[in-house]
Amino acid sequence: MSQLENKQFDSKITRRDLIKLFGATAVAGTGIFGASQQAYAKSAAHVVVLGGGVGGATLAKYLRFADPDVKITIIEQYPEYITCLRSNDVIIGMHTLDELTFNLDTIKNKYNVNVVIDTVIGADFDKKTVRTAKGDTFSYDKLVVSPGIDFRFEDYEGYDATLAEGAFPHAYKAGPQTLELRRQLLALPQGGTAIIATPQNPFRCPPGPYERASFFAEYFKEHNPTAKLLVLDPKDRFTKDVPFKKAWERLYGYKSDNSLIEWVSGSEGGRVLRLDAKNMTVETEGGSYKADLINIIPNQRAGKLAQIIGLTDSSGWCPIQRDTMESALHKEVYVLGDSSIADEMPKSGYSANSQAKVCAQAIADALKGNAPGKAIYSNVCYSLAGQNYGVSIAAIYEVRDGRIVAKGKSAGVSPITDKPAQPILEAVYQKNWQREFVKDVFS
Amino acid sequence: MKLRNLILSAGFLAMAQNASAEIMASGSAMAWQCAPCHGTNGQEFVEAMPPLAGMPAKQFIDAMIAYREGTRPAIIMDRVARGFTDEEIKAMAYWFEKQPVKQWENTSLNEALEADATARSTGGQQ
Ligand SMILES: Cc1cc2nc3c(=O)[nH]c(=O)nc-3n(C[C@H](O)[C@H](O)[C@H](O)COP(=O)(O)OP(=O)(O)OC[C@H]3O[C@@H](n4cnc5c(N)ncnc54)[C@H](O)[C@@H]3O)c2cc1C
């Protein structure tokens, strides 16, 4: 390629063009690149990221790819992040919480990101500042918010956050509750009954409750074969229900007289109305059930932070511009991950990671005054219906008529075949995927 | 504009790319979406999913089209590939071809930025 033609010199040369012409190393040697390695130029824009979970960490890393100069700060409330991903495995002892614990050190060091451990308590969108619990104020040019989810305990009479921290863990944020649920599963009397109550749509990790149910059944099969799991569902369908139920038939006698799992759909009265903690009883639209273990995974809404600072609409979730993830309510503010309304995309870690990349490019483009490129999103969710039996759902997404929808004929769940290799390979991929995914997020 | 001319001079592949630039995501934007399974910039060499970094473009294109048309057995890649047009597949292929053939953790930020710049300037994308 003939690079040094005269006409090139009268165009506005951006950093990328320079790298294109001379290579990043050469440019770095001139100090142009070096600036971002040591100190930010005074004029560099400041992007502040609230929440250093899947969405926030991915955003910081990929924004650095898209803009070597921008100043990036993550404000995250906890020094360590425990992934929900594979936290169901912890309940059956397939993983430890330690193996699921990550921090932002690589994000900070490799991608030159300021990491502040503090809780954000407010934002002023006119002044473009955020406030923290420790009393600090941060100014931003662009704000990114990825605070995860909050629970609607008020949808269940007799259930609340205190009970969840105690004898009735939802275990839908990984941590001490995950370990408590494991303890309860192991302590279940022989022939006892466990209940998993699943949430109404939309909620974080749509296959999560059903993967957990599968693990309970697998555990019973080996250690407590006369126990029973009751799955109480406010819905009539759930994600990957066809391959999940097929797996339950193959592995846990589902639909037979001594099935380890029974699933009560919404039309059959599966919606939980009330928890009677004292009598270990759950009241549903269809009747009351007594159990030895009760795991209610509550209905959900956008993370508290998003509610407090005014990014949610009447649905409890955050409306966004679909091609950039910019809030539909406030300019220069972007919402990622579970909190956002992303139409056909499920609330998964994969989705949060995918959205963060689109958002990173959109922010870099906006800071340079360029129009956003065409957005492309993706999601692949592998779940386990048993330790060696995987089921998956996958799709590529694009924005059409203002909604994020499946692109081409990409959307689909695992086919049901008679080939045992399919679910076994899906389980292998599941495990590979988890290891790989956290690297893409945190390193 | 000048830059675009420059890229066009890189050849026919880049031209095909530019022609559809308006309606298509960039090669890097699409390639980034592959990272959760294939590693950041396709640079995952120790897991079951094949690394994409440095893969000859033709190999990538042939594989993706075969997945999409159902002529190559797949676990999920058939579903994924059905989301991409020929032009999109090519743009990803050219971008991945230029990424370093080594594990992501051993790659510096500057190496990555340089590889990205190279991929873009040789028609990997615009
Ligand atoms: C059991 C289970 C299994 C799952 N399995 C999978 C899976 O296999 N694959 C998959 O793709 N997804 C899975 N998920 C879903 C995945 O965990 C979430 O979709 C993902 O974490 C969403 O990312 P996020 O950035 O929106 O939120 P999070 O990752 O939850 O990050 C939010 C961050 O914001 C911080 N934060 C919140 N408020 C504040 C504040 N005020 N100040 C400072 N920091 C704050 C939090 O501490 C947290 O670190 C699973 C979820 C569960 C529950």
Side-chain angles (χ1 to χ4, degrees), chain A residues 16-17 19 25 33 61 110-111 350 354 357 374 376 378 392 407 409-410 412 432 435-436 439-440 443, chain B residues 3 23 25 32-33 36-37 39-40 44 47-48 79 82-83 88 104-105 107 110 113-114 116-117 121:
Chain A
R16 266 208 200 290
D17 305 342
I19 298 165
T25 321
F33 236 75
K61 170 175 172 177
K110 182 165 182 174
Y111 305 104
Y350 199 121
S354 167
K357 291 166 182 174
K374 187 171 156 64
I376 186 145
S378 56
S392 63
K407 183 172 183 304
K409 293 199 163 59
S410 61
N432 285 269
R435 288 192 294 265
E436 184 36 51
K439 283 197 238 172
D440 190 43
S443 51
Chain B
L3 205 72
I23 48 150
W32 284 357
Q33 297 293 325
C37 300
T40 298
E44 177 55 66
E47 298 293 356
R79 289 174 259 166
R82 287 198 295 268
E88 290 168 332
W104 172 250
E105 294 89 290
T107 307
N110 274 349
L113 293 171
E114 186 172 7
D116 175 59
S121 68

Side-chain angles (χ1 to χ4, degrees), chain B residues 72-122:
Chain B
R72 180 173 168 152
I75 298 298
I76 70 149
M77 279 310 298
D78 47 348
R79 289 174 259 166
V80 170
R82 287 198 295 268
F84 294 102
T85 64
D86 287 358
E87 290 311 312
E88 290 168 332
I89 289 170
K90 284 182 200 163
M92 280 187 277
Y94 302 139
W95 192 87
F96 276 125
E97 189 173 42
K98 294 288 188 268
Q99 304 310 307
V101 184
K102 62 179 183 180
Q103 190 65 19
W104 172 250
E105 294 89 290
N106 305 326
T107 307
S108 73
L109 176 62
N110 274 349
E111 282 175 280
L113 293 171
E114 186 172 7
D116 175 59
T118 308
R120 287 168 192 252
S121 68
T122 52

Side-chain angles (χ1 to χ4, degrees), chain A residues 70-88:
Chain A
V70 69
K71 184 177 171 188
I72 308 170
T73 299
I74 295 183
I75 309 177
E76 161 59 46
Q77 60 188 338
Y78 302 123
E80 285 185 328
Y81 178 85
I82 306 174
T83 67
C84 284
L85 299 132
R86 307 318 325 141
S87 66
N88 281 334

Side-chain angles (χ1 to χ4, degrees), chain A residues 49-58 74-89 91 104 116-122 131-133 145-149 151 170-174 178 203-209 211-212 240 297 300 303-306 308-309 335-340 346-353 355-356 379-384 430 433-434 437 441-442:
Chain A
V49 186
L50 309 185
V54 173
T58 308
I74 295 183
I75 309 177
E76 161 59 46
Q77 60 188 338
Y78 302 123
E80 285 185 328
Y81 178 85
I82 306 174
T83 67
C84 284
L85 299 132
R86 307 318 325 141
S87 66
N88 281 334
D89 299 19
I91 300 168
L104 296 168
V116 175
I117 305 300
D118 203 345
T119 303
V120 180
I121 54 169
R131 277 179 300 116
T132 68
V145 187
S146 194
I149 49 156
F151 298 100
H170 53 66
Y172 226 60
K173 284 185 184 175
T178 315
F203 62 97
R204 155 179 285 184
C205 195
E211 178 180 79
R212 181 177 293 177
K240 298 186 262 194
I297 303 170
Q300 296 161 26
K304 249 191 202 103
L305 176 63
I308 295 171
I309 64 179
V335 185
L336 304 179
D338 292 348
S339 281
S340 69
K347 297 189 184 302
S348 69
Y350 199 121
S351 292
N353 170 280
Q355 293 159 1
N379 176 67
V380 176
C381 282
Y382 290 104
S383 309
L384 296 179
Q430 198 301 317
W433 175 83
Q434 184 266 343
F437 179 72
V441 175
F442 292 107

